[in-house]
């Protein structure tokens, strides 16, 4: 068999949504009737792929290999000739579902050159030498911080949030205020100085300033004042999740991006970001390299982060990554980022269609069912496969699947592959 169902690893990180509030838990419950969902346990991530820390288990007893990683190692042709050669016989992406209750750390992922250097110097913190571009596609209303805000927004906060200005210092603040749009390199340099000063400020000093700010905003809220000029709501929310954390101040530098279901954001190398809340499908290059600097109890590497970031300001609207409708099949929308490692397809099958062909592509792919039910058949599968929300299939390169739909409201599927 070259098409088979997978049972995927669940990660119970503390920031995940608890019990059946989590999309991960819901998919788990509908795909496996025997799954026991614990109401107070966080279900943060579902990993669909061959990553050594969460290698999917093959659900087909005719296949001798236990996991997808082992199967691909023994059958590298399943990747497709181009993918196999380009990525040394490995699946180049990891596909995930994330369900986020509290913010993830302020982070960025290195490019290949920096990843190799960090891995050589600090292998305990940077476990591999690969880059890690990633893309998130919202399943429910989703919020994240992403990229530096337009300078005029940051300057406006420097003028209305005295606690922020105190941390950055008068000299750096004025340098940013004076930097003109005619000189983008000057703007980036000033932004780098301001952000680095913030991130490297003395712990006791920034905790004092943060407490002053929280106290002031809490008071203004109690008096019924509008605190949007100080981004009050978000500040209080992050502070309640990570009290005394420098990451709370990054909301004045980074865009707040809101995605509706089906909207996406792409995070290239060196783009500062933090997911805040919501559920999404995520696809990324297969790597664990993350440089963190706040909103986290984990190892933080402020110097590396401040050095590597892309200090190009841009409005939050520019961070929404547009999908394109497929020319060949109007039911497919392609999320095709500017990196070779992965592409995601959203397949929405209307209820009027009862037989649908998931067509062959020249790459191994992973198919996730989010809504709807069907029976799947393929000449490359051992037997017919029952598909319901949470079902995950591995499809070898150049294999197709016929879906016989049985749900009255159509289907929603996401498929990750590598289109070289």
């Amino acid at each position: 068999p070259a098409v088979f169902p997978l049972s995927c690893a669940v990660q119970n990180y503390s920031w995940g949504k608890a019990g059946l509030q989590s999309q991960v838990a819901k998919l788990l419950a509908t795909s496996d009737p025997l799954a026991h969902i614990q109401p107070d346990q966080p279900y943060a991530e579902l990993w669909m792929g061959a990553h050594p820390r969460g290698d999917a288990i093959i659900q087909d007893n005719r296949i001798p290999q236990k996991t997808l990683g082992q199967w691909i190692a023994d059958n590298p042709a399943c990747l497709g000739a181009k993918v196999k050669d380009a990525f040394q016989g490995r699946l180049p992406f990891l596909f995930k579902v994330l369900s986020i209750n509290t913010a993830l750390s302020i982070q960025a992922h290195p490019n290949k050159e920096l990843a190799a250097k960090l891995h050589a110097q600090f292998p305990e913190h940077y476990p591999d030498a690969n880059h890690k571009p990633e893309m998130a596609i919202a399943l429910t209303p989703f919020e994240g911080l992403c990229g530096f805000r337009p300078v005029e927004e940051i300057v406006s906060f420097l003028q209305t949030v005295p606690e922020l200005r105190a941390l950055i210092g008068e000299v750096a603040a004025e340098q940013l205020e004076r930097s003109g749009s005619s000189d983008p390199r000057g703007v980036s340099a000033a932004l780098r100085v301001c952000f680095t000063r913030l991130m490297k400020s003395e712990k006791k000093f920034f905790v004092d300033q943060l407490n002053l700010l929280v106290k002031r905003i809490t008071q203004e809220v109690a008096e019924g004042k509008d605190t949007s000029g100080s981004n009050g709501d978000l500040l209080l929310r992050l502070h309640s999740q990570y009290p005394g954390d420098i990451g709370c101040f990054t909301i004045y530098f980074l865009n707040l991006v809101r995605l509706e279901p089906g909207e996406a954001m792409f995070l290239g190398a060196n783009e500062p970001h933090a997911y805040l809340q919501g559920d999404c499908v995520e696809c990324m290059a297969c790597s664990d390299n993350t440089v963190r600097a706040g909103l986290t109890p984990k190892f933080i590497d402020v110097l590396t982060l401040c050095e590597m970031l892309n200090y190009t300001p841009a409005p939050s609207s520019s961070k929404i990554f547009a999908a394109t409708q497929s020319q060949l099949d109007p039911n497919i929308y392609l999320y095709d980022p500017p990196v070779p490692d992965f592409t995601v397809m959203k397949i929405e099958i209307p209820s009027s269609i009862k037989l649908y062909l998931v067509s062959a592509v020249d790459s191994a792919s992973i198919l996730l069912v989010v809504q709807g039910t069907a029976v799947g058949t393929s000449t490359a599968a051992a037997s017919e496969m029952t598909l319901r929300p949470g079902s995950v299939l591995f499809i070898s390169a150049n294999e197709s699947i016929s879906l016989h739909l049985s749900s009255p409201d159509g289907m929603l599927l996401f498929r990750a592959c590598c289109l070289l």
Side-chain angles (χ1 to χ4, degrees):
V3 171
F4 44 80
L6 298 174
S7 170
C8 297
V10 171
Q11 310 287 1
N12 303 101
Y13 306 136
S14 57
W15 49 258
K17 292 187 183 181
L20 286 170
Q21 289 172 309
S22 161
Q23 195 74 31
V24 170
K26 279 184 196 160
L27 291 171
L28 195 62
T30 48
S31 66
D32 176 7
L34 300 174
H36 177 63
I37 304 297
Q38 294 168 317
D40 46 2
Q41 164 109 314
Y43 291 82
E45 298 193 1
L46 180 70
W47 285 23
M48 301 171 281
H51 192 286
R53 289 221 319 259
D55 199 354
I57 292 164
I58 295 173
Q59 297 286 74
D60 185 331
N61 48 23
R62 278 155 289 211
I63 296 177
Q65 295 86 351
K66 286 275 173 285
T67 71
L68 182 59
Q70 292 165 351
W71 193 84
I72 292 172
D74 292 343
N75 301 276
C78 76
L79 295 169
K82 286 184 194 159
V83 175
K84 179 183 139 210
D85 291 348
F87 296 99
Q88 293 80 48
R90 291 194 197 94
L91 188 69
F93 57 83
L94 178 60
F95 202 24
K96 294 182 176 183
V97 179
L98 272 61
S99 290
I100 300 159
N101 178 42
T102 57
L104 277 67
S105 53
I106 305 282
Q107 54 184 245
H109 305 297
N111 58 22
K112 282 203 164 147
E113 195 184 354
L114 178 61
K117 198 173 102 183
L118 290 172
H119 175 60
Q121 288 177 317
F122 312 108
E124 68 282 14
H125 296 306
Y126 301 106
D128 54 78
N130 198 9
H131 68 164
K132 190 186 170 184
E134 51 189 29
M135 184 163 57
I137 305 168
L139 290 171
T140 60
F142 189 86
E143 278 185 348
L145 299 173
C146 177
F148 283 97
R149 292 172 176 270
V151 172
E152 48 280 15
E153 293 179 20
I154 299 171
V155 164
S156 157
F157 286 130
L158 283 170
Q159 288 163 0
T160 52
V161 184
E163 301 83 356
L164 175 68
R165 199 176 183 99
L167 286 179
I168 281 162
E170 204 50 46
V171 176
E174 283 177 14
Q175 189 190 347
L176 189 66
E177 286 166 340
R178 281 199 307 268
S179 71
S181 50
S182 55
D183 174 19
R185 287 181 64 172
V187 169
S188 291
L191 196 49
R192 173 190 287 260
V193 170
C194 286
F195 190 73
T196 305
R197 289 211 45 146
L198 169 71
M199 297 310 284
K200 286 168 75 174
S201 47
E202 203 57 53
K203 172 106 181 157
K204 181 177 180 335
F205 185 46
F206 85 67
V207 170
D208 287 348
Q209 292 300 323
L210 183 55
N211 289 338
L212 283 172
L213 175 59
V214 168
K215 190 175 164 188
R216 178 169 70 80
I217 288 184
T218 307
Q219 212 165 346
E220 287 176 9
V221 169
E223 292 164 6
K225 288 185 183 156
D226 173 23
T227 61
S228 59
S230 316
N231 212 344
D233 292 351
L234 185 56
L235 179 87
L236 295 182
R237 191 168 99 207
L238 289 183
H239 183 261
S240 70
Q241 294 173 11
Y242 297 94
D245 190 301
I246 190 70
C248 295
F249 278 107
T250 60
I251 62 173
Y252 299 117
F253 281 92
L254 305 180
N255 284 301
L256 176 60
V257 180
R258 292 193 167 95
L259 302 179
E260 289 305 314
E263 289 187 320
M265 57 176 146
F266 171 70
L267 303 159
N270 305 332
E271 183 86 290
H273 63 279
Y275 296 154
L276 299 179
Q277 66 173 16
D279 305 85
C280 69
V281 179
E282 185 184 57
C283 200
M284 60 180 62
C286 221
S287 161
D288 273 330
N289 286 325
T290 300
V291 184
R292 296 183 178 84
L295 301 181
T296 178
K298 292 184 186 173
F299 170 74
I300 64 174
D301 190 346
V302 171
L303 269 172
T304 301
L305 188 86
C306 292
E307 279 297 303
M308 71 188 265
L309 290 182
N310 166 17
Y311 288 97
T312 310
S316 67
S317 57
S318 69
K319 300 299 170 187
I320 295 182
F321 184 83
T324 54
Q325 193 168 20
S326 160
Q327 302 279 292
L328 302 169
D329 179 347
N331 301 302
I332 296 181
Y333 278 84
L334 281 173
Y335 301 82
D336 190 16
V339 294
D341 310 61
F342 60 85
T343 297
V344 177
M345 301 176 189
K346 178 178 73 168
I347 307 173
E348 271 189 287
I349 311 169
S351 54
S352 56
I353 294 180
K354 291 303 173 207
L355 180 61
Y356 180 83
L357 183 73
V358 178
S359 52
V361 290
D362 190 19
S363 153
S365 62
I366 290 180
L367 183 72
L368 164 72
V369 181
V370 175
Q371 289 161 16
T373 53
V375 171
T377 56
S378 169
T379 52
S383 56
E384 55 180 38
M385 299 161 289
T386 307
L387 298 184
R388 42 182 174 252
S391 295
V392 179
L393 294 186
F394 178 79
I395 307 172
S396 293
N398 305 305
E399 299 293 354
S400 59
I401 301 179
S402 296
L403 298 182
H404 307 260
L405 276 73
S406 49
S407 43
D409 11 328
M411 286 188 91
L412 173 62
L413 311 114
F414 287 90
R415 182 183 189 183
C417 59
C418 177
L419 301 179
L420 293 179

